Amino acid sequence: PAPPNLIPASRTLDSLYRTTFTVPPHEIDFSNRLKISALFNAIQTTAADHAEGLDLGYKALHPAGLFWVLSWVRLEIERLPRYQDTITAETWPHRRYRIFSLRDFLFLDEQEQVYARARSAWLLINANSRRVTSLDNLPHPVHYLEERSALESMPDKIHTMSDGELLLEKEIRYSDLDLNQHTNNARYVEFMLDGYSEEFHRRHRMQSLTFFFRSESRCGDRLLLHRYIEPERPSRHHLRAVKAGEDEKTVFQAVIDWLDDII
């Protein structure tokens, strides 16, 4: 039998997944808007739930020594839900792109109007070598919906910052870790947004976010967050987190476009 919220019928229809949830009080900020990190959690949760329903999730891949890792996300926000708003999350595998499996998302209100759109890229990892492996090693092929797109474009390449101000330092601790024993992606988003003051968040809201996950971090690692603001476009901020140490290995990079929005 098909798992709950999957559309039963053909294998193609199974590729579209819809689920509905209500915004809880612990996922809103002081402006009564859904936290961006909560959107990232929703991306991970709906992707994981759908993958389980397609027999391509943790239960199917773990015995084969495989797991999925999120490589990048492009998020575009029309508006953010508020406390007790009902959200419909819709997701589907979009297409295969080089070594990535692309998955799209729509977040909709009760009138089917868009809150936010996202495109994500996932890598298949060999648990023993901790290296990327071919999607051909999956237990069975992914059935993509190539004709259906949440976003039309792919994320632009993010160039490595050569300068920028230090915003914040963070040591990775127990509560940051996920099932694979490295830092959960939504924790990176929280860390990044904590680099901005309360006053800044009261005067701006996020329009879009492009986020690249470059390397994993583990318990005890200390991260340094740097920011560079484009002189010709001050609403566009480039951010880069590195591991403290001699090599300063990049953990994640991001580009945020902000809008003025005084609360």
Side-chain angles (χ1 to χ4, degrees):
N5 297 315
L6 283 178
I7 303 173
S10 69
R11 196 69 190 179
T12 300
L13 289 178
D14 282 347
S15 294
L16 178 64
Y17 176 82
R18 284 171 64 97
T19 188
T20 300
F21 58 95
T22 301
V23 177
H26 61 276
E27 294 289 17
I28 57 172
D29 64 11
F30 55 67
S31 67
N32 190 23
R33 290 172 177 157
L34 186 71
K35 295 176 182 176
I36 303 300
S37 59
L39 267 181
F40 266 71
N41 279 325
I43 285 171
Q44 294 178 104
T45 299
T46 54
D49 289 349
H50 191 199
E52 293 294 343
L54 296 174
D55 293 326
L56 291 171
Y58 177 80
K59 290 181 181 178
L61 298 188
H62 181 68
L66 301 170
F67 62 92
W68 293 107
V69 165
L70 183 58
S71 179
W72 55 254
V73 175
R74 168 70 180 178
L75 176 65
E76 296 182 1
I77 302 167
E78 299 288 336
R79 56 198 170 92
L80 288 170
R82 298 176 182 271
Y83 174 48
Q84 293 190 325
D85 282 349
T86 298
I87 304 173
T88 296
E90 190 174 271
T91 185
W92 61 95
H94 173 55
R95 66 185 173 98
R96 184 168 174 168
Y97 177 72
R98 299 176 182 170
I99 61 174
F100 303 101
S101 184
L102 302 189
R103 175 177 282 275
D104 281 11
F105 300 82
L106 286 175
F107 296 94
L108 310 167
D109 65 15
E110 293 183 275
Q111 288 72 47
E112 298 287 301
Q113 298 300 304
V114 175
Y115 282 125
R117 309 170 185 271
R119 173 161 293 166
S120 60
W122 301 77
L123 294 169
L124 186 63
I125 303 296
N126 181 292
N128 293 322
S129 67
R130 310 294 288 188
R131 294 183 179 275
V132 178
T133 189
S134 172
L135 296 172
D136 294 332
N137 291 324
L138 287 168
H140 58 81
V142 180
H143 292 261
Y144 294 103
L145 297 181
E146 296 190 33
E147 71 282 1
R148 186 181 182 91
S149 297
L151 295 175
E152 295 302 321
S153 60
M154 303 288 282
D156 295 329
K157 182 179 179 181
I158 297 180
H159 299 284
T160 301
M161 295 162 43
S162 57
D163 54 6
E165 61 179 317
L166 177 64
L167 286 185
L168 199 62
E169 299 184 24
K170 175 183 174 61
E171 183 176 344
I172 302 302
R173 305 307 294 262
Y174 157 79
S175 62
D176 298 313
L177 303 180
D178 63 14
L179 183 63
N180 297 316
Q181 301 180 53
H182 54 61
T183 308
N184 182 274
N185 299 319
R187 290 290 191 173
Y188 288 138
V189 176
E190 292 174 352
F191 169 46
M192 178 182 67
L193 294 179
D194 282 345
Y196 291 83
S197 68
E198 178 185 346
E199 182 63 22
F200 182 92
H201 284 294
R202 289 191 180 278
R203 292 181 172 272
H204 301 84
R205 67 178 178 89
M206 188 182 293
Q207 181 181 35
S208 67
L209 169 63
T210 304
F211 210 107
F212 284 79
F213 305 95
R214 298 301 191 190
S215 62
E216 63 185 15
S217 63
R218 296 178 176 272
C219 197
D221 287 339
R222 188 163 60 91
L223 304 188
L224 308 176
L225 179 67
H226 298 266
R227 178 183 63 184
Y228 171 79
I229 300 175
E230 291 189 12
E232 303 82 11
R233 190 175 180 178
S235 62
R236 174 161 291 183
H237 294 191
H238 297 252
L239 297 110
R240 177 177 176 238
V242 301
K243 290 183 185 179
E246 293 183 3
D247 57 352
E248 292 201 340
K249 189 174 185 179
T250 300
V251 175
F252 69 78
Q253 291 172 270
V255 176
I256 303 177
D257 286 312
W258 294 100
L259 291 173
D260 293 336
D261 185 35
I262 299 176
I263 297 172

